[in-house]
Amino acid sequence: MDASRRLTILVLCFLLLGTERAGADPGPSRPTARPAEIRVETAHDGQPFAYDMQLLRDAPSFHVYRLRYPSPVVTPVEANNTVPADYYLPRGADEDGLRRPAVICLHILHGNFELERLTCSVLAARGIPSMMIKLPYYGERAPPEGTKVLTKNPALFLQALSQGFADVRRAVDLLASRREVNAQAIGVIGVSLGGIVGATASAQEPRIARAALILAGGDLGYIVEHAPETRGLKGLLANLSPAEQKIARQAIHDVDPLTHAPQLRDRAQQGRVLMVNAVEDVTIAPQCARKLAEALGMPERVVWLPGLGHYTAIAALPQVLEHAVAFFGQDLPAAAQKPPAAPANEPLQVLAELLRQVSALAAAEPASGRGHFVALEVALRPAQGKPVEVQFSLARGSGARFRLEGQFPEIGQVAVGQGSYPWIMAQGKRVFRGVGGTDTKSRGVLDAIPGGQRLRLQIIRGALDAIVRAPETLTHLADVRAETEQGRLQAIVIAPRDGSLGQIRLALQADRTLPGPSTISFEARQASGQIVVRQWQIDTVAPDELFCEPPGLECQDVDRADLERMFSAVLKFALEQLP
């Protein structure tokens, strides 16, 4: 558990979190061709327009183009009057003559667009063209003071929402004009703010055939009043005069999804609206989600994520993406449902497989008689403090079986596990075995981890699984290159594009018939070091004896509940020692 958590944190810090800074949006890569101007003669408002289209990069399953089109709304901020969009086009989609559904992806309130790029990558990899647009005053549309200008000016925030609706409608015009798109099957997907904008925009635009509203809801007045993210906006509204407050409340009502729900209700009744919400959400409260669902006539069809909140919902990201793919994929022609596969030796595919194995080791229960087993030597060199060395092995089996043993700083020698009963070794001399108790349900290693840290692990696993589904997403965040010798892949090097975090180097086993890496070298702000992989077997044969206590030691039976509390205390202390 310790090693898998350490490795996944390192990978995510480099590949997911490294570029997450306010206002930062480095973009996927440098454009590779001069932009072409394309005319759209048929528009919803009768105003033809032109957009630029420029190839940004190629991925194994799709191409990414940067599009720019004029916003129908002209504002005093010149940069805000052009809508930048990234268009993810499945390979061959512009050549095979098939008309596909297409999806407009709308971003969250405080984001660096990586969640949306991941969503577009997953959809495009499954054959569905998708386009991420940046809402007013975000990214390159922002004034010098950045997106904070929205939370400092309630009137501007509400105007930006209205402009966003118009920008979405023009995005529909653009997609409907493209030969690879089925104009009758254009959809919208949005998370949080994007879901709120998507709900109202879909109601206003009858050509939107499907809407996936993730962590969204209605009653904007309640959301502004109670959501932690809108405290600044709430304070500004409170300082307005009574007359100004009345105007503001009317403006909020005018953009509220509840106000426009009747125009979307028929599509919701036809199963063309998907709602996914978190039970513990304090930003978009469950009651706000229920109000919107009831207004749409679909209160029993909301997909609820139990035990998760607005931000911890990323733990369920793979499931949410699968819901979205299935939802929009209903309109995908059969011949377009399997885009060309990436080469088997593609470095991204090898990396995705390694991440899949890490995810399985961390949280996937093996089948009966099978198991996961790793043995690692970890050497950490913190930027401050003394070096740390850890040697340990972890085995995970079916039915909550596990065994963890090794030498840990500040703890010493550790051996804990569960076969037919839980056990823990004390000072290398005695084994305590858990017996008795009214609760006979077996608790696995994940159950022994305290709740907050277990949730962090679930979040990490959710992000890993999402990357596995669309490994091309990694190229947005980092350079992923191969080291080869005589045409054979020897190592994979991962370096963030902004150059701020160093790199990770995964050296592969010399015998490629063996799974897993041989060494993992890393550099980060807080530490650098190396992990030497002594054993790495995922989904291998695992006899029951593997999970038994060490033989030859004195055994003492203790209350099972007491022993499980000891498990939690040991694991909690070990996890707290991690950087």
Side-chain angles (χ1 to χ4, degrees):
M1 175 58 59
D2 210 335
S4 62
R5 184 176 182 275
R6 184 189 304 276
L7 179 57
T8 51
I9 287 174
L10 285 169
V11 171
L12 286 178
C13 283
F14 276 90
L15 303 182
L16 284 182
L17 306 179
T19 58
E20 195 169 281
R21 292 184 297 277
D25 179 29
S29 64
R30 181 175 298 176
T32 57
R34 297 179 67 86
E37 184 175 275
I38 303 173
R39 292 283 300 174
V40 177
E41 299 296 342
T42 302
H44 73 281
D45 56 2
Q47 300 294 321
F49 63 95
Y51 65 93
D52 291 341
M53 184 170 181
Q54 186 174 23
L55 179 65
L56 284 182
R57 66 178 184 86
D58 288 319
S61 300
F62 51 81
H63 310 282
V64 182
Y65 293 89
R66 170 58 54 88
L67 277 57
R68 298 181 186 276
Y69 64 90
S71 172
V73 178
V74 178
T75 69
V77 179
E78 180 63 29
N80 186 49
N81 298 333
T82 299
V83 182
D86 289 347
Y87 185 44
Y88 291 66
L89 181 63
R91 281 188 176 272
D94 55 345
E95 300 172 353
D96 59 18
L98 297 174
R99 296 276 188 171
R100 294 165 163 78
V103 178
I104 300 165
C105 186
L106 304 175
H107 59 77
I108 61 178
L109 180 65
H110 300 297
N112 62 352
F113 312 110
E114 299 306 343
L115 175 60
E116 292 72 35
R117 290 190 177 115
L118 175 60
T119 301
C120 289
S121 295
V122 170
L123 290 168
R126 302 287 279 272
I128 303 171
S130 55
M131 185 169 72
M132 180 198 78
I133 72 171
K134 294 176 183 175
L135 294 171
Y137 302 101
Y138 277 85
E140 50 267 64
R141 303 183 69 176
E145 57 268 44
T147 57
K148 292 182 179 179
V149 67
L150 295 176
T151 57
K152 295 179 179 179
N153 188 333
L156 185 63
F157 177 79
L158 295 170
Q159 291 170 10
L161 287 179
S162 296
Q163 184 180 8
F165 305 146
D167 292 344
V168 171
R169 300 193 74 176
R170 183 155 284 186
V172 174
D173 295 334
L174 189 158
L175 288 173
S177 72
R178 295 196 57 82
R179 64 182 181 180
E180 71 272 7
V181 172
N182 177 357
Q184 307 304 313
I186 295 174
V188 164
I189 184 170
V191 179
S192 190
L193 170 67
I196 292 171
V197 173
T200 299
S202 298
Q204 294 179 348
E205 177 50 77
R207 293 175 298 169
I208 293 177
R210 294 184 182 273
L213 313 177
I214 315 300
L215 305 180
D219 195 349
L220 286 187
Y222 183 92
I223 293 171
V224 170
E225 182 72 18
H226 294 89
E229 293 79 357
T230 57
R231 287 194 185 103
L233 188 60
K234 173 185 173 182
L236 290 172
L237 290 170
N239 290 327
L240 296 177
S241 69
E244 290 172 326
Q245 287 186 11
K246 182 177 180 180
I247 294 173
R249 284 194 295 270
Q250 183 60 47
I252 290 173
H253 175 269
D254 290 344
V255 299
D256 195 323
L258 290 182
T259 302
H260 302 272
Q263 287 90 346
L264 188 58
R265 188 181 175 95
D266 285 347
R267 278 166 282 175
Q269 296 294 290
Q270 297 166 9
R272 294 183 172 272
V273 175
L274 169 68
M275 288 186 65
V276 180
N277 290 88
V279 172
E280 307 296 332
D281 199 334
V282 297
T283 298
I284 307 297
Q287 69 187 68
C288 295
R290 293 189 186 97
K291 285 182 180 180
L292 180 57
E294 290 169 0
L296 295 174
M298 51 177 292
E300 304 302 323
R301 289 192 283 118
V302 178
V303 178
W304 289 102
L305 305 177
L308 298 175
H310 199 71
Y311 297 103
T312 56
I314 193 174
L317 182 58
Q319 298 93 314
V320 173
L321 291 176
E322 285 302 314
H323 277 299
V325 168
F327 179 65
F328 294 111
Q330 295 177 64
D331 300 320
L332 193 63
Q337 291 179 5
K338 293 183 179 181
N345 62 348
E346 179 73 25
L348 282 178
Q349 300 302 314
V350 175
L351 179 57
E353 172 58 20
L354 292 177
L355 294 179
R356 184 198 66 77
Q357 293 181 24
V358 170
S359 176
L361 173 67
E365 181 178 326
S368 178
R370 310 289 293 182
H372 311 317
F373 181 75
V374 297
L376 307 176
E377 296 179 3
V378 181
L380 291 176
R381 296 182 294 276
Q384 297 180 347
K386 62 182 181 180
V388 177
E389 294 186 358
V390 178
Q391 298 181 10
F392 72 96
S393 63
L394 170 67
R396 293 201 62 212
S398 62
R401 292 176 173 84
F402 78 94
R403 181 189 182 114
L404 171 67
E405 56 184 328
Q407 192 78 21
F408 295 87
E410 308 295 335
I411 300 178
Q413 187 177 4
V414 169
V416 297
Q418 179 163 284
S420 56
Y421 48 80
W423 57 267
I424 186 169
M425 183 182 71
Q427 299 179 339
K429 300 178 181 179
R430 177 179 297 183
V431 172
F432 294 101
R433 301 184 299 195
V435 298
T438 57
D439 183 4
T440 59
K441 179 182 177 181
S442 296
R443 300 181 73 222
V445 65
L446 293 182
D447 297 316
I449 298 175
Q453 290 164 320
R454 183 164 65 248
L455 180 58
R456 289 174 61 192
L457 178 62
Q458 292 170 342
I459 291 171
I460 291 169
R461 188 197 177 198
L464 279 176
D465 287 351
I467 291 174
V468 169
R469 284 168 165 78
E472 295 93 341
T473 305
L474 297 178
T475 62
H476 288 300
L477 307 166
D479 288 316
V480 180
R481 61 182 177 85
E483 291 184 1
T484 61
E485 183 177 327
Q486 297 181 347
R488 291 175 59 86
L489 183 62
Q490 301 294 314
I492 299 171
V493 179
I494 309 156
R497 289 193 176 277
D498 61 6
S500 64
L501 292 177
Q503 66 180 24
I504 298 175
R505 182 180 185 273
L506 290 86
L508 304 177
Q509 297 282 355
D511 181 358
R512 289 301 310 282
T513 62
L514 298 175
S518 61
T519 60
I520 305 168
S521 304
F522 53 88
E523 300 173 0
R525 289 192 182 97
Q526 301 299 324
S528 62
Q530 185 179 67
I531 300 172
V532 178
V533 181
R534 297 303 183 193
Q535 294 287 336
W536 184 287
Q537 296 290 329
I538 306 300
D539 192 26
T540 188
V541 176
D544 290 343
E545 291 76 13
L546 178 63
F547 308 103
C548 294
E549 69 273 20
L553 298 179
E554 179 184 351
C555 294
Q556 178 179 338
D557 292 342
V558 298
D559 182 78
R560 183 182 187 125
D562 290 340
L563 188 64
E564 288 174 344
R565 281 192 287 270
M566 293 171 65
F567 274 9
S568 293
V570 170
L571 286 171
K572 181 177 185 293
F573 183 83
L575 292 174
E576 287 174 346
Q577 308 311 305
L578 292 175

